Amino acid sequence: MAVLSKGALFPESVESKIFSLVKGHSSLAKLSGQEALPFVGKDIFTFNFDKDISIVGENGEKPEGDGVADVVKMTPVKVVYQMRVSDEFMYASEEYKMNVLEAFADGYAKKLGAGLDKMAMHGIDPATGIASGIIGNNCFDKKVTTNTVSYTDADVDIDSAVAQVEASEYVANGVVIAPSVRSDLATKRGTDGQRLYPDFAFGATPANLGSMNLDVNATVSANGSTDKAIIGDFQTAFRWGIAKQLPLEVIEYGDPDNTGKDLKGSNQVLLRSESFIGWAIMDEKAFSIVGA
């Protein structure tokens, strides 16, 4: 089977599953669009126009333009995910190997999805919860500093955040909220005692909040973050991508995950995949953060 050699790729069917599952487990991926991402990164050109178009009369002079061109770099970050399995994997049937790879792909996609959120929202290494120097300021917590709302009342604060996004001439088409915000909305009642947001009751998550696409995810407040919600123009102002090729390495010897247990002595092999994932916040004014 091809995946048994170092540097081989996942079978195409498994690779497709990984990409589809990442979109399901990452709020940012769900609310925005995916880009093809080269290993060397990608330059995304943007233009900012403050003035409107001008009418020019016959023989009239064309006015000076105020457009500013800029480049946003979507630089891939290398991430790794690995797990040990029984060395029966090496000698088993093709069906057994595929079942193992399917299970690995499922866990891998979940980690990639949650990892994208944690990295792009908070700038942390998902494995340690510590701020990553590699990510630097390329995250919502460090970029979105002007459009912020202190959290006191869920629906009022989200409306305020929407107003901030619209004041920056963007469309608020997506919102990701922490589970605690869903709970606050679910228990909010009117003067008649009836639920104001019955669609949130008993852990439910509607697809939309107003006209915005909605997702509920604990990654919003991961690692002690005080963020409660991120609102903004995800469809045009946030980009992300994974380099298409997802290599799979099967390691038979040594202690490659630093557990102190030799693979051969434990009758195990290690499945490891390293991927390149990148994202870009095109304009911080397109977003607003509701936080404590």
Side-chain angles (χ1 to χ4, degrees):
M1 187 175 183
V3 297
L4 297 183
S5 61
K6 181 178 179 180
L9 301 178
F10 281 98
E12 186 174 346
S13 60
V14 178
E15 185 176 286
S16 298
K17 178 180 179 181
I18 290 174
F19 278 98
S20 64
L21 286 175
V22 167
K23 293 182 179 180
H25 294 290
S26 166
S27 293
L28 295 178
K30 178 180 178 180
L31 297 175
S32 61
Q34 180 186 352
E35 296 253 338
L37 180 62
F39 284 107
V40 295
K42 185 174 187 177
D43 290 334
I44 305 172
F45 292 91
T46 64
F47 294 87
N48 295 319
F49 302 106
D50 288 332
K51 294 180 180 179
D52 289 329
I53 58 174
S54 302
I55 296 175
V56 180
E58 186 176 358
N59 298 319
E61 292 186 357
K62 298 179 178 66
E64 180 182 357
D66 66 340
V68 178
D70 198 3
V71 175
V72 177
K73 184 78 173 179
M74 187 159 67
T75 304
V77 175
K78 184 167 74 171
V79 296
V80 60
Y81 181 71
Q82 55 193 16
M83 65 177 290
R84 292 187 176 214
V85 298
S86 168
D87 62 2
E88 293 177 4
F89 176 83
M90 302 296 293
Y91 315 107
S93 66
E94 296 296 310
E95 181 181 1
Y96 177 86
K97 291 174 183 177
M98 185 56 68
N99 288 338
V100 172
L101 288 182
E102 290 281 351
F104 181 77
D106 183 67
Y108 184 35
K110 290 177 181 177
K111 294 301 181 183
L112 277 177
L116 170 60
D117 282 3
K118 292 177 181 179
M119 292 187 293
M121 289 178 181
H122 311 299
I124 61 175
D125 181 337
T128 64
I130 299 173
S132 168
I134 296 174
I135 295 174
N137 293 327
N138 187 27
C139 64
F140 284 93
D141 283 355
K142 292 183 180 179
K143 280 198 169 186
V144 183
T145 57
T146 302
N147 290 350
T148 60
V149 178
S150 296
Y151 186 73
T152 54
D153 186 288
D155 55 359
V156 173
D157 296 339
I158 291 174
D159 266 341
S160 297
V162 170
Q164 289 181 340
V165 172
E166 291 178 339
S168 301
E169 298 187 353
Y170 284 95
V171 176
N173 49 47
V175 54
V176 51
I177 62 177
S180 59
V181 177
R182 174 177 60 187
S183 178
D184 290 345
L185 290 170
T187 56
K188 198 173 182 64
R189 297 178 182 272
T191 55
D192 58 358
Q194 298 298 311
R195 292 182 188 268
L196 294 179
Y197 301 96
D199 289 345
F200 287 89
F202 308 113
T205 302
N208 305 97
L209 183 61
S211 63
M212 298 184 292
N213 294 321
L214 168 71
D215 198 36
V216 178
N217 203 322
T219 54
V220 176
S221 52
N223 294 87
S225 170
T226 59
D227 294 353
K228 295 290 188 179
I230 302 176
I231 296 94
D233 191 345
F234 288 95
Q235 294 177 12
T236 59
F238 181 82
R239 308 281 185 85
W240 74 282
I242 302 176
K244 180 170 174 52
Q245 292 187 325
L246 300 176
L248 173 66
E249 186 177 5
V250 180
I251 303 174
E252 300 179 64
Y253 304 98
D255 182 22
D257 51 354
N258 302 305
T259 63
K261 295 181 178 180
D262 180 75
L263 286 171
K264 203 68 174 177
S266 303
N267 294 315
Q268 296 173 330
V269 295
L270 182 99
L271 302 181
R272 172 187 288 170
S273 187
E274 295 179 328
S275 299
F276 290 82
I277 184 169
W279 63 91
I281 300 169
M282 306 301 296
D283 187 350
E284 61 271 19
K285 297 190 298 295
F287 301 94
S288 178
I289 295 177
V290 178

